[in-house]
Amino acid sequence: MTDPRKARVATVSLAGCFGCHMAILDMDERLIGLMEKVEFDRSPLTDIKTFTRRCDIGIIEGGCCNEENVHTLIEFRKNCDVLIALGQCAIMGGLPAMRNAIMHAAEPLRECLEEAYISGPYLRNMTRLIPNDPVLPLVLDRVYPCSEVVDIDYQIPGCAPSGDIIYSTLATLLDGRFTGFDREDIRFD
Amino acid sequence: MTGESFVFHIDGVAVTAKPGQTIMEAADAAGIYIPRLCDVEGLRHQGGCRVCTVKADGRSVSACTQPAAPDLKVENDTPARNRVRRDLVEMLFHEGNHLCPICEKSGNCELQAMAYRLEMTVATRFPYLEPCRELDASHPDIALDTNRCISCGRCIRASQDVDGKGVFGYVGRGIHRRVAVNGADLAHTDAAVTDHAMSAAVCPVGCIIRKDEGFRVPIGSRHFDHGLIGHEIEEKRE
Ligand code: SF4
Ligand code: SF4
Ligand code: SF4
Ligand code: FES
């Protein structure tokens, strides 16, 4: 290698369940070898909450379901050379996007929130109110895949993606050898 | 079938066919897989999904309905054919609600498996139509989530031709054509969970759901986790 500098990687979980971050750990002992080539910047894995410098790779889990997700995603696009959408939520909205299908209602968001906080059959919401504290980020009209908000360079499929496909993608990207996924490894579940 | 068998070519490979055989039937017997969604063994051919489209002497035809002919030159597994197929599969993903991570059929689904085979990792080039059709869970043993239906008509043919019932039928025309039950809901038909139409092999996707089956076989250990769709046919190749 001409440049011995470690690649800087940032990660974030937007509208995701953290399963994709868990899947990063599924690389198991291969992580040790990988850590010789990368260092983590902003990431829940380091608990660094803002970018300390420009990063080579940004890994996004989850799509955008609120305005904070959108701001964070734009931050990542600005600060990372290569942006990877990791998992079905980041790629196509995933589980949170289940709410998109009810969006044909007259007041879709109201209907969704009312069912979630007021009228749903399995609720224990004593206040009978929809939370509206000003510190809560505003919920978007629908859940957006990352690629509808910013340009995404690579999308690693799966829910969660296997440790194998994450490893092979990262390892080949770092060496500049990534040519796409082996179709035997593609999974949407 | 009567008459002499003859030879034609698929991607340069000589294939023997009997008169009356379709291109796909002859290909299957020879261990050459032609992708398909609306065609399935045991049901009459419909020629609806067009995923099996091949070029036969330069003309685009559906391999599941087009009879093989002596000396025909068929183009099947080429980048151009597969690109068209991938577009078709991608449009099916956009037409329905295909949230694989929450679908019981995931891993056993032919649409999903076709996406894998055709290397469709993301379906985002077209807008999602996001249909909002009511779930029909009226029947004690069967549920229907038509938001995942690809209108392949396999259930219609199975119910009519095998079960002798006619539980399902098409309604509407063109892009609005949908599969519906012949009754107020499934509970108001003579559908039974033992019908061939309700068996796992008929509905290629997670639209016809047998209750109490769910995730008995875990994700990761399902049919298409063990090989690409079509590999059983390809393994017959000498
Ligand atoms: S893709 Fe699956 S594992 Fe990843 S965040 Fe979404 S739900 Fe969780
Ligand atoms: S029917 Fe198939 S493609 Fe659709 S959500 Fe279910 S597994 Fe995915
Ligand atoms: S319900 Fe299933 S078998 Fe019937 S048309 Fe729809 S996808 Fe095909
Ligand atoms: S398999 Fe031939 S048209 Fe559907």
Side-chain angles (χ1 to χ4, degrees), chain B residues 21-22 31-32 73 79 90 119 130 164 182 203 219 235 237:
Chain B
Q21 263 189 327
T22 62
I32 295 173
K73 301 246 175 315
E90 201 171 325
E119 298 176 86
E130 285 165 359
N182 290 324
C203 182
I219 297 285
E235 275 154 23
R237 181 111 171 241

Side-chain angles (χ1 to χ4, degrees), chain B residues 145-238:
Chain B
D145 184 350
T146 52
N147 296 299
R148 299 180 187 136
C149 177
I150 58 168
S151 296
C152 66
R154 280 159 55 161
C155 57
I156 302 177
R157 282 170 279 153
S159 188
Q160 256 166 21
D161 304 349
V162 182
D163 304 323
K165 287 189 175 178
V167 171
F168 300 98
Y170 283 120
V171 292
R173 301 186 71 80
I175 192 169
H176 301 294
R177 189 169 77 153
R178 296 278 159 252
V179 170
V181 295
N182 290 324
D185 53 26
L186 203 55
H188 290 86
T189 66
D190 51 356
V193 72
T194 46
D195 288 354
H196 182 56
M198 309 304 162
S199 68
V202 168
C203 182
V205 294
C207 175
I208 300 177
I209 302 160
R210 285 161 310 287
K211 294 183 180 177
D212 294 322
E213 202 168 281
F215 292 86
R216 240 181 249 166
V217 179
I219 297 285
S221 313
R222 296 183 166 198
H223 190 74
F224 297 115
D225 289 312
H226 305 297
L228 286 179
I229 190 166
H231 77 97
E232 288 99 341
I233 289 174
E234 286 171 320
E235 275 154 23
K236 283 195 293 188
R237 181 111 171 241
E238 280 142 29

Side-chain angles (χ1 to χ4, degrees), chain A residues 30-169:
Chain A
R30 285 170 296 185
L31 266 171
I32 298 165
L34 203 60
M35 289 309 289
E36 283 165 16
K37 293 187 190 166
V38 306
E39 58 184 339
F40 282 100
D41 195 80
R42 172 183 177 158
S43 165
L45 303 171
T46 53
D47 211 21
I48 301 175
K49 295 192 170 51
T50 50
F51 282 96
T52 65
R53 57 221 287 204
R54 189 168 180 81
C55 286
D56 301 286
I57 297 178
I59 299 176
I60 314 289
E61 163 188 322
C64 292
C65 78
N66 65 33
E67 53 169 0
E68 188 201 16
N69 296 153
V70 173
H71 289 307
T72 310
L73 184 55
I74 292 171
E75 272 285 294
F76 264 72
R77 181 69 277 179
K78 276 193 195 137
N79 285 283
C80 302
D81 292 345
V82 166
L83 215 50
I84 301 175
L86 179 64
Q88 294 309 109
C89 290
I91 293 173
M92 42 72 78
L95 274 69
M98 283 175 78
R99 80 166 158 98
N100 292 1
I102 64 162
M103 290 293 145
H104 300 291
E107 285 190 286
L109 199 51
R110 174 180 298 280
E111 215 168 274
C112 177
L113 290 170
E114 282 183 350
E115 179 155 356
Y117 290 101
I118 299 174
S119 62
Y122 309 110
L123 288 179
R124 275 203 208 108
N125 176 16
M126 298 308 186
T127 65
R128 311 305 279 174
L129 291 172
I130 295 169
N132 69 344
D133 193 290
V135 302
L136 291 174
L138 281 179
V139 174
L140 300 178
D141 60 337
R142 53 199 305 282
V143 177
Y144 294 85
C146 291
S147 62
E148 283 188 25
V149 178
V150 298
D151 281 336
I152 295 288
D153 301 293
Y154 302 99
Q155 321 214 48
I156 305 180
C159 175
S162 65
D164 291 344
I165 198 168
I166 300 176
Y167 178 77
S168 62
T169 309

Side-chain angles (χ1 to χ4, degrees), chain A residues 88 91-95 97-98 100-104 142-143 145 147-148 155 157 159 181-184 186-189, chain B residues 93 97-102 106-107 112 115-122 124 128-132 219 224-225 227-228:
Chain A
Q88 294 309 109
I91 293 173
M92 42 72 78
L95 274 69
M98 283 175 78
N100 292 1
I102 64 162
M103 290 293 145
H104 300 291
R142 53 199 305 282
V143 177
S147 62
E148 283 188 25
Q155 321 214 48
C159 175
F181 304 107
D182 190 341
R183 61 183 182 168
E184 315 267 348
I186 301 171
R187 292 287 183 282
F188 300 158
D189 57 19
Chain B
F93 269 83
N97 293 335
H98 293 283
L99 293 156
C100 298
I102 53 141
S106 196
Q112 183 191 61
Y116 298 166
R117 185 181 171 103
L118 298 171
E119 298 176 86
M120 186 199 99
T121 47
V122 271
T124 48
Y128 287 98
L129 296 189
E130 285 165 359
C132 191
I219 297 285
F224 297 115
D225 289 312
L228 286 179

